[in-house]
Amino acid sequence: MRRRLVAGNWKMNKNYREAMDLFEKLNEASAAMPAEVDVMIAPPALYLTGFAKTSTRKIEVGAQDVSHREEEEGAFTGEVSAAILKSAGVRYAIVGHSERRQYHGENDELIGKKIQACVKAELTPVYCCGESLEERESDRHFEVVRKQVSTALSGFSAEELSALIIAYEPVWAIGTGKTASAEQAQEMHADIRANVKELFGAEFAEKVRILYGGSCKPGNAAEIFGKPDVDGGLIGGAALKAEDFTAIIGAGF
Ligand code: PEP
């Protein structure tokens, strides 16, 4: 059985005082979070070390991005390597978020390098994929997501990707208040699973966790997470309020 994971992507939000306040509330709430659910928060990079040191065991910490460079250290101003993140107690790194693709020109070849850097440093990559509104409306969503996944994951063995987490995030649903229906999420998750089965085999496909992301809220999380191929969520806006994030973690329990 795959364990559910609920991850909160804080993006570029929360000044220091606000971040500490939210973190403290989540730590306090963590004792009552269901044992069956893994929880991760990805705050702005500046807060990672402090959070990793002081979070309860329930809440793990992830980076919102990681350098694509394989070097553990070197003259690469502004970059943070997977090895440095790992050494500071960070457990996960989100890679290929649609905002990185949109505002920083990231493509699946580069994202594949980020996954490689994570694999080398034993950091768990959370690989984001998903189609635009135009791609969905022209009925190309399965084809687009299949291409993203097979490009970013090309050249890896199933063993190297044993920790991989995939997040399906339809771009038209991110931060828009428009959620994919539970049925739309399920059919895409099933297709991603079928795709990785072709690439890495049945055992890998059965084990890999696929999260849904895109305007997930306390009111719709239980229905979406209840679908057989949905293994939790990557949460943006609703991760910024302790009550909402906690309700999503407990959805359906
Ligand atoms: C995200 O950016 O990963 C996301 C899912 O955002 P939101 O929940 O705000 O749509």
Side-chain angles (χ1 to χ4, degrees):
M1 265 315 279
R2 297 180 297 266
R3 279 178 67 79
R4 184 185 292 182
L5 169 66
V6 177
N9 173 13
W10 292 14
K11 311 192 184 187
M12 194 175 74
N13 289 297
K14 303 289 178 190
N15 67 28
Y16 183 74
R17 191 184 43 75
E18 292 164 345
M20 294 306 132
D21 185 50
L22 176 55
F23 178 61
E24 214 167 281
K25 284 186 178 147
L26 292 174
N27 265 342
E28 277 166 19
S30 67
M33 290 172 184
E36 298 86 341
V37 182
D38 293 335
V39 179
M40 182 267 266
I41 53 172
L46 188 62
Y47 310 140
L48 285 171
T49 321
F51 284 14
K53 271 197 189 135
T54 56
S55 66
T56 61
R57 276 176 50 207
K58 180 75 188 166
I59 300 176
E60 293 185 296
V61 175
Q64 294 176 18
D65 187 32
V66 62
S67 174
H68 66 283
R69 305 213 60 101
E70 267 200 67
E71 292 89 345
E72 293 183 4
E73 50 188 31
F76 305 106
T77 301
E79 294 288 272
V80 182
S81 71
I84 288 175
L85 290 169
K86 177 81 180 183
S87 75
V90 174
R91 167 88 197 278
Y92 300 82
I94 298 171
V95 296
H97 191 278
S98 65
E99 287 150 17
R100 301 290 313 172
R101 295 174 188 260
Q102 184 181 353
Y103 302 123
H104 300 271
E106 293 192 6
N107 59 28
D108 283 290
E109 282 79 13
L110 180 93
I111 296 161
K113 290 185 183 167
K114 294 188 177 206
I115 295 173
Q116 174 60 40
C118 289
V119 168
K120 196 175 159 202
E122 297 181 355
L123 201 62
T124 300
V126 180
Y127 166 67
C128 303
C129 55
E131 80 285 359
S132 67
L133 184 59
E134 189 259 317
E135 288 161 344
R136 176 160 285 263
E137 284 177 343
S138 55
D139 208 21
R140 289 187 295 131
H141 43 296
F142 291 117
E143 173 201 330
V144 165
V145 173
R146 275 190 170 244
K147 183 149 189 297
Q148 289 175 336
V149 170
S150 49
T151 306
L153 304 186
S154 98
F156 290 99
S157 66
E159 198 188 347
E160 285 172 315
L161 296 181
S162 58
L164 178 79
I165 291 166
I166 298 173
Y168 168 59
E169 300 206 302
V171 179
W172 47 272
I174 295 180
T176 58
K178 263 191 182 178
T179 321
S181 66
E183 290 68 31
Q184 284 172 322
Q186 167 55 28
E187 63 174 7
M188 182 59 86
H189 283 227
D191 197 62
I192 293 171
R193 207 174 293 287
N195 188 14
V196 295
K197 184 176 177 187
E198 287 161 26
L199 296 169
F200 302 109
E203 196 185 324
F204 179 91
E206 205 35 58
K207 262 180 53 195
V208 71
R209 291 191 281 183
I210 308 176
L211 313 183
Y212 170 77
S215 298
C216 197
K217 298 196 168 45
N220 59 25
E223 192 191 353
I224 297 171
F225 296 171
K227 293 293 178 189
D229 285 297
V230 179
D231 306 310
L234 180 53
I235 317 299
L240 298 173
K241 280 197 192 137
E243 310 71 48
D244 287 356
F245 190 54
T246 304
I248 292 171
I249 291 164
F253 284 95

